[in-house]
Amino acid sequence: MATELANLVDQLDRQLLVVLRDGRTIVGTLRTFDQFANIVLEDPHERVFADGKYAELPMGCTFIARGENVALIGELDKKREHQSPLRRGDPSKMEKADEERRAEERRKELLLRKSFQRRGVMTSDDFDE
C-alpha cells in the first residue's frame, strides 16, 4: 500500500480521471490524499458516456472520494485526448442518456435481487431493512 500511495505524490496538482466502484467517472485536479487513499479533487466534473460520445458535467468546487470506493486512477494526457475514438457531446443530452442508463441498471439490479430472494438467497440490502 505504501508504494501505491507514494505514486500518488507524483500526481498531485495534475488532472486525473477517477473511476469509482459505483461506475461513475470523475475528472478533476488531485489536491491531496491520505494513508487510506482518500482523495480530494478540485474542480471535479462527472464524465458521462453514451453512443460513442462523452460530456463533462460540473460537480461543484471539490470532490472527496473514500479510498475504498476508488477503482482506478489515471492521469489525463491532454495532448493525446484527441486520439480517443470518443467525441464530445452535448452535456444536456448526455446527462439525460446517462440518467436513463443508470435507471435501467437499477431496474436490472432490482430484478436480480428479487430473483435471488425467490430462491431464498439474502442480499446485502436485505440486512439493511
Side-chain angles (χ1 to χ4, degrees):
M1 181 67 136
T3 305
E4 292 86 357
L5 290 176
N7 290 335
L8 278 179
V9 171
D10 297 334
Q11 303 304 318
L12 284 171
D13 299 325
R14 293 189 180 173
Q15 192 163 36
L16 302 181
L17 182 135
V18 179
V19 178
L20 302 175
R21 283 180 39 196
D22 67 2
R24 291 184 296 160
T25 301
I26 312 298
V27 175
T29 304
L30 180 65
R31 287 298 175 212
T32 190
F33 64 92
D34 65 11
Q35 71 270 26
F36 303 108
N38 299 319
I39 62 172
V40 176
L41 298 175
E42 184 178 68
D43 192 26
H45 292 76
E46 181 174 5
R47 192 174 271 196
V48 294
F49 305 90
D51 303 323
K53 295 180 182 174
Y54 73 94
E56 291 184 359
L57 311 174
M59 299 177 66
C61 59
T62 57
F63 180 80
I64 300 170
R66 289 185 58 150
E68 65 187 24
N69 291 323
V70 175
L72 179 133
I73 297 178
E75 184 178 358
L76 283 180
D77 187 348
K78 290 292 185 180
K79 295 177 207 163
R80 299 182 72 194
E81 198 168 24
H82 70 279
Q83 296 173 349
S84 170
L86 297 174
R87 296 291 167 236
R88 280 194 180 264
D90 177 26
S92 59
K93 291 179 183 175
M94 298 294 293
E95 185 173 23
K96 185 173 180 358
D98 189 59
E99 287 173 5
E100 291 171 357
R101 180 188 59 81
R102 287 184 193 198
E104 179 63 19
E105 285 177 1
R106 284 191 298 272
R107 187 187 69 75
K108 286 180 181 179
E109 189 175 307
L110 181 62
L111 289 174
L112 183 62
R113 187 166 51 128
K114 286 182 178 180
S115 174
F116 282 144
Q117 288 172 341
R118 282 194 304 272
R119 292 171 175 80
V121 177
M122 294 185 70
T123 64
S124 60
D125 292 333
D126 297 326
F127 296 110
D128 295 335
E129 295 173 354

